[in-house]
Amino acid sequence: MTLERADAGADEVIRVQDLTMAFGSFVIQRGLSFTVRRGEIFIVMGASGSGKSTLLRHMIGLQRPAQGEVLYGATSLWRANPAKRERLLRRTGVLFQSGALWSSMTLAENVSLPLGEFTRLNTREIREIASLKLALVGLAGFEDYYPSEISGGMQKRAGLARAMALDPEILFFDEPSAGLDPISAKLLDDLILSLRDSLGATVIVVTHELASIFEIGDNSIFLDPEMKTMTASGAPKRLLAESDDPALLNFLTRGNAAGRQRAAGGATRLA
């Protein structure tokens, strides 16, 4: 099941085409093909060990595919020369699962790192932008705090501020709610929605958290670790309502007795 739009070609931001991910002869996932469109929040979902974070690494240039393509617009990420690949990836920002902040640097210094490396701004201008990015994620006044002095949820938001430092068109999130309490996770989901709406960014989120999947996902793919491929694509709520895939339904109805009964019925129909 796939969401279609009449202007799909015009708003295509990233296209993954016949992608196979492997470590040597061990295949993680094969035959992945999907499109991420401008301005949407795209969810990569699946159980632990299904290859979600590995797919993200392929999409941000950290791991080369065993087969297939990752296209930014019409340009192949992995066929581009190193200089062109760097230019493509400068359009992106990444929030890693742990936040990946430098513990010896203040929040402002962490956010300033990409600005100092990739721009010609002076120290005062960099500090002003760092303060602005921290304010956008609700951390105004925390510029001189160290990561150890703030909560886990605040660390995630600081990591997001750093990912936004260069005003990227595309934001990647690797398990953004991992390790957060439900209230902090909900606040982060609200922030992701707000940033998408206010900045017009395209957002790709790797997650297995159901609350986030249904709250923020416009479109999604499901990676099945047993089949070693994607077995569904589309809006999460639509997939839940219409899919007959037992593995997908079990994933989307964890903790929901009625949902599990429906998933069992789907398995019976497919037998």
Side-chain angles (χ1 to χ4, degrees):
M1 182 185 307
T2 306
L3 294 179
E4 298 290 346
R5 297 184 187 178
D7 59 346
D11 62 1
E12 182 179 290
V13 175
I14 296 176
R15 179 157 51 93
V16 171
Q17 185 172 297
D18 195 28
L19 186 76
T20 293
M21 309 184 299
F23 294 104
S25 61
F26 181 74
V27 174
I28 308 297
Q29 290 280 325
R30 62 169 62 89
L32 305 183
S33 295
F34 59 89
T35 298
V36 180
R37 297 188 174 95
R38 190 176 314 280
E40 73 179 0
I41 297 178
F42 189 95
I43 304 292
V44 179
M45 60 183 179
S48 296
S50 59
K52 303 185 301 298
S53 294
T54 302
L55 175 56
L56 182 144
R57 290 196 293 272
H58 282 72
M59 294 175 72
I60 62 174
L62 294 181
Q63 188 169 334
R64 184 177 291 274
Q67 178 181 308
E69 298 280 359
V70 177
L71 298 136
Y72 280 65
T75 304
S76 169
L77 178 65
W78 290 104
R79 293 181 185 271
N81 61 48
K84 189 166 189 178
R85 186 181 306 144
E86 181 180 329
R87 288 196 296 273
L88 288 174
L89 294 175
R90 285 274 298 276
R91 298 166 54 195
T92 71
V94 184
L95 174 61
F96 293 100
Q97 187 172 151
S98 63
L101 298 172
W102 291 96
S103 60
S104 60
M105 294 182 173
T106 65
L107 302 189
E109 289 169 340
N110 268 281
V111 177
S112 296
L113 276 174
L115 294 165
E117 183 172 355
F118 295 111
T119 74
R120 297 182 180 180
L121 300 171
N122 61 42
T123 302
R124 180 184 59 80
E125 292 169 330
I126 289 175
R127 173 74 181 198
E128 289 176 354
I129 293 174
S131 295
L132 172 62
K133 300 301 182 182
L134 287 166
L136 283 174
V137 299
L139 292 175
F142 287 87
E143 291 85 351
D144 296 322
Y145 281 65
Y146 288 89
S148 61
E149 297 175 320
I150 59 176
S151 69
M154 295 169 77
Q155 290 177 23
K156 291 287 181 78
R157 285 187 275 149
L160 175 54
R162 186 178 60 188
M164 294 165 48
L166 297 174
D167 296 322
E169 302 170 31
I170 308 166
L171 285 167
F172 291 90
F173 295 77
D174 188 8
E175 297 284 6
S177 300
L180 299 183
D181 62 85
I183 294 175
S184 297
K186 176 65 166 62
L187 290 172
L188 187 59
D189 285 344
D190 291 343
L191 178 59
I192 291 171
L193 288 168
S194 175
L195 292 174
R196 189 277 305 270
D197 293 342
S198 61
L199 303 179
T202 302
V203 182
I204 296 95
V205 182
V206 167
T207 185
H208 67 278
E209 299 288 346
L210 291 182
S212 295
I213 288 169
F214 291 120
E215 178 70 19
I216 67 175
D218 297 316
N219 201 358
S220 68
I221 59 170
F222 176 69
L223 302 184
D224 189 319
E226 299 298 324
M227 301 292 290
K228 293 186 181 296
T229 192
M230 54 178 279
T231 56
S233 64
K237 291 179 181 177
R238 182 176 166 190
L239 291 178
L240 177 62
E242 299 180 9
S243 177
D244 285 327
D245 179 352
L248 173 62
L249 290 174
N250 278 319
F251 176 82
L252 291 176
T253 57
R254 287 166 287 156
N256 183 317
R260 288 197 302 273
Q261 185 176 8
R262 179 167 177 261
T268 300
R269 288 193 298 275
L270 292 173

